[in-house]
Amino acid sequence: KKVDLSSRKVAIVVASWNEEITESLYEGAFNALIEGGIRKSNIIRKDVPGSFELSLGGLWMAERKEIDAVICLGCVIQGDTPHFDYICQAVAYGITEAGLKTRKPVIFGVLTTLNKAQALDRAGGKFGNKGEEAALTAIQMLGF
Ligand code: DLZ
């Protein structure tokens, strides 16, 4: 069945790190929400500095009464140090926690890649757009 989502509000929280990638993820997510029946005026965008901040940014948005679902978009690219692992761990945990705490779908749309090419492939390249997939996940959860 097709669920009527015309009155549902969705927040998209976007990390500015690796902006070229996260803007593509945003575009994919935005378009998929519109395609899925969410009104343009019911999509609220917020930016945070890096993926690490998606946890709190996502929680803040999910705590807003009027928000029905939150999509967190980021791109963490591995460097030469274990820093990558700490950010990925923290944000995966933080986004999970934001969803459980608020009992709302808080979607993990974070690329965790070994290099920029892998990220581009997943942000509108040969493996699709993971922002779009994150939006479809939100839509499915809103129809639960
Ligand atoms: C510091 C940092 C590094 C090295 N790499 C990334 C990255 O690849 N992707 C990303 O989204 N953020 C990165 N950051 C920033 C952290 O997410 C965070 O903003 C800072 O550690 C400050 O809390």
Side-chain angles (χ1 to χ4, degrees):
K1 81 187 183 304
K2 186 132 163 92
V3 186
D4 177 21
L5 299 174
S6 62
S7 64
R8 312 307 289 279
K9 281 195 167 66
V10 178
I12 306 181
V13 186
V14 187
S16 302
W17 261 77
N18 300 308
E19 193 171 25
E20 177 191 352
I21 311 282
T22 59
E23 284 304 324
S24 294
L25 296 176
Y26 175 75
E27 216 168 282
F30 182 88
N31 292 335
L33 288 180
I34 297 291
E35 189 76 17
I38 304 284
R39 290 211 175 116
K40 195 173 167 182
S41 56
N42 285 338
I43 300 173
I44 296 96
R45 175 179 173 153
K46 284 283 184 181
D47 295 292
V48 293
S51 292
F52 188 81
E53 283 71 41
L54 287 171
S55 302
L56 189 53
L59 178 63
W60 280 340
M61 293 314 283
E63 279 176 339
R64 289 194 187 185
K65 235 190 169 122
E66 74 275 14
I67 297 292
D68 298 299
V70 180
I71 297 169
C72 297
L73 301 175
C75 172
V76 197
I77 299 179
Q78 176 144 48
D80 297 329
T81 70
H83 192 262
F84 172 81
D85 303 289
Y86 290 105
I87 294 185
C88 295
Q89 274 280 336
V91 69
Y93 176 82
I95 289 175
T96 306
E97 170 117 336
L100 295 177
K101 209 165 174 174
T102 58
R103 297 171 173 262
K104 291 178 188 174
V106 180
I107 308 301
F108 185 80
V110 183
L111 296 178
T112 59
T113 65
L114 303 179
N115 52 54
K116 189 176 170 187
Q118 282 187 342
L120 286 168
D121 286 344
R122 292 160 178 78
K126 68 177 176 212
F127 295 123
N129 187 320
K130 299 294 166 186
E132 188 182 318
E133 286 179 28
L136 295 175
T137 305
I139 286 169
Q140 187 174 351
M141 290 304 283
L142 285 172
F144 183 84

